[in-house]
Amino acid sequence: MQHKTIIATCAAIASYSMVSADIQLPMDVLNADKGTKTFSAQLNMGYSTKYVSRGLAFQNSGSDNIIPMEVDGAYNINNNYSMFGGVKYQWLTRNHLEHDSTGICDEGSAILGLSRKIGNATTAALSYQFVHGGVPGSLNTKRYWGINTNRAAFDHIQPEEHSFCLDIHHEFGKELKNFFWDCRVQYTFRWMTGWWFTNTLGYRYDVNKSTSVIVAGTWNATAGYFDSNSLNANGTQGISLTVSSPVKATKDLTVTPFVGTVWLGNGGLAANHRGASARFPYREPSKVYRNFTFVAGVGVAYTF
């Protein structure tokens, strides 16, 4: 763990976070330099065959072939505390340069927070996250349709989400060496309100000093987030299994190819059968999400 930088580990976890709405910084190494490097930053760019967010993959082919771009940074306050922030934009290439020509918006995210190292194996962080477009924007039943006088801060049709997040990263030891656990508890307070839960259990095998193989399974679920007007129901939204292989091409450049599968959960399945509601009386059932899909891609991370 000591030889890893903030960027190297970001590339390693890109397989299950880079193409998601959420920005998940490398919690295990935010304080790894122990004061020898006050500020760490990264540039991330990649490609994915499918847009997958919180375990949900749209049936609409307009969400295929995406290019995520991300900039993250962390400032070490002392040996235990760090401030971090990041911005990310996911370009759905079939939208061309029109942002939402396929009916699914490109997605922009930003995060700002504070992390704390707890012992040698655990890091926790509290943050604020803003997401515009993508899955969160599409799920927002409180969007402006000409009858609601509320207006969002950045877009009058409100395809956005504002949330507080608690992230925990834990490295197991002894017999479970090389296993890790990532957990996110997210409370969204505007425009939708409710809880998202994400849990990832993974295993990292270091082939040599420059190459690793990571296998990770992720479960996404909600509670109190969806109501009778929503497409989805609360519960498990999706489950994914991903294999990635971060390779350090140079000291500052890491390339991470990945492949994975995504299964739709019972909460997401409800959207494929949901019909009319009080607010949307003319809505007809349609297949919104893929029940099962493969995804593959590559992430490139540069440290500075």
Side-chain angles (χ1 to χ4, degrees), residues 83-159:
M83 292 185 64
F84 61 87
V87 292
K88 176 166 63 175
Y89 190 84
Q90 300 204 73
W91 177 33
L92 280 62
T93 57
R94 296 196 180 186
N95 281 335
H96 304 293
L97 299 178
E98 299 179 15
H99 187 62
D100 62 353
S101 63
T102 63
I104 302 173
C105 291
D106 291 349
E107 182 184 277
S109 307
I111 195 170
L112 181 65
L114 179 72
S115 72
R116 188 187 190 284
K117 190 80 173 176
I118 305 172
N120 295 322
T122 306
T123 304
L126 288 172
S127 60
Y128 160 78
Q129 179 177 265
F130 166 79
V131 181
H132 183 280
V135 161
S138 299
L139 295 178
N140 190 353
T141 60
K142 300 183 185 298
R143 294 171 64 176
Y144 177 70
W145 302 105
I147 57 175
N148 189 340
T149 58
N150 292 326
R151 296 299 178 94
F154 297 93
D155 192 319
H156 73 280
I157 62 171
Q158 302 175 10

Side-chain angles (χ1 to χ4, degrees), residues 1-301:
M1 285 302 299
Q2 296 302 317
H3 69 277
K4 293 189 177 181
T5 66
I6 182 173
I7 306 313
T9 304
C10 253
I13 64 172
S15 57
Y16 59 84
S17 68
M18 193 173 182
V19 294
S20 172
D22 304 305
I23 299 176
Q24 294 176 314
L25 299 183
M27 301 297 299
D28 54 333
V29 290
L30 280 174
N31 310 98
D33 291 311
K34 298 187 181 302
T36 61
K37 188 175 182 181
T38 303
F39 179 76
S40 297
Q42 70 170 357
L43 291 175
N44 261 332
M45 192 167 183
Y47 166 79
S48 177
T49 56
K50 300 283 192 303
Y51 166 72
V52 180
S53 182
R54 300 176 185 174
L56 300 171
F58 284 118
Q59 181 71 22
N60 188 336
S61 61
S63 63
D64 294 346
N65 302 312
I66 74 163
I67 297 177
M69 298 163 278
E70 185 173 345
V71 180
D72 302 310
Y75 176 81
N76 285 346
I77 300 172
N78 54 39
N79 288 347
N80 292 320
Y81 289 92
S82 290
M83 292 185 64
F84 61 87
V87 292
K88 176 166 63 175
Y89 190 84
Q90 300 204 73
W91 177 33
L92 280 62
T93 57
R94 296 196 180 186
N95 281 335
H96 304 293
L97 299 178
E98 299 179 15
H99 187 62
D100 62 353
S101 63
T102 63
I104 302 173
C105 291
D106 291 349
E107 182 184 277
S109 307
I111 195 170
L112 181 65
L114 179 72
S115 72
R116 188 187 190 284
K117 190 80 173 176
I118 305 172
N120 295 322
T122 306
T123 304
L126 288 172
S127 60
Y128 160 78
Q129 179 177 265
F130 166 79
V131 181
H132 183 280
V135 161
S138 299
L139 295 178
N140 190 353
T141 60
K142 300 183 185 298
R143 294 171 64 176
Y144 177 70
W145 302 105
I147 57 175
N148 189 340
T149 58
N150 292 326
R151 296 299 178 94
F154 297 93
D155 192 319
H156 73 280
I157 62 171
Q158 302 175 10
E160 62 183 50
E161 177 188 79
H162 302 258
S163 306
F164 291 119
C165 305
L166 169 65
D167 287 287
I168 298 173
H169 174 87
H170 180 73
E171 295 275 347
F172 295 95
K174 297 182 179 179
E175 292 81 4
L176 296 177
K177 183 181 179 181
N178 293 335
F179 280 92
F180 64 90
W181 172 61
D182 286 313
C183 171
R184 167 167 284 194
V185 178
Q186 174 179 323
Y187 178 72
T188 299
F189 60 91
R190 191 174 187 185
W191 292 90
M192 299 282 281
T193 58
W195 299 87
W196 279 91
F197 306 96
T198 300
N199 279 280
T200 296
L201 181 64
Y203 178 81
R204 182 185 61 255
Y205 175 73
D206 295 324
V207 179
N208 50 47
K209 289 184 178 181
S210 61
T211 305
S212 299
V213 176
I214 299 174
V215 181
T218 301
W219 168 76
N220 296 271
T222 59
Y225 188 85
F226 298 109
D227 58 25
S228 59
N229 288 315
S230 302
L231 280 172
N232 296 38
N234 289 303
T236 298
Q237 301 302 314
I239 299 172
S240 61
L241 179 65
T242 307
V243 179
S244 61
S245 182
V247 178
K248 292 197 70 173
T250 68
K251 178 183 177 182
D252 299 322
L253 185 69
T254 304
V255 180
T256 307
F258 62 89
V259 295
T261 57
V262 181
W263 292 268
L264 191 62
N266 63 310
L269 279 169
N272 290 345
H273 308 283
R274 188 66 64 91
S277 68
R279 189 174 182 198
F280 304 103
Y282 302 108
R283 183 169 61 193
E284 296 183 359
S286 62
K287 190 172 183 180
V288 180
Y289 306 114
R290 294 177 169 97
N291 291 340
F292 175 82
T293 191
F294 289 96
V295 60
V298 63
V300 179

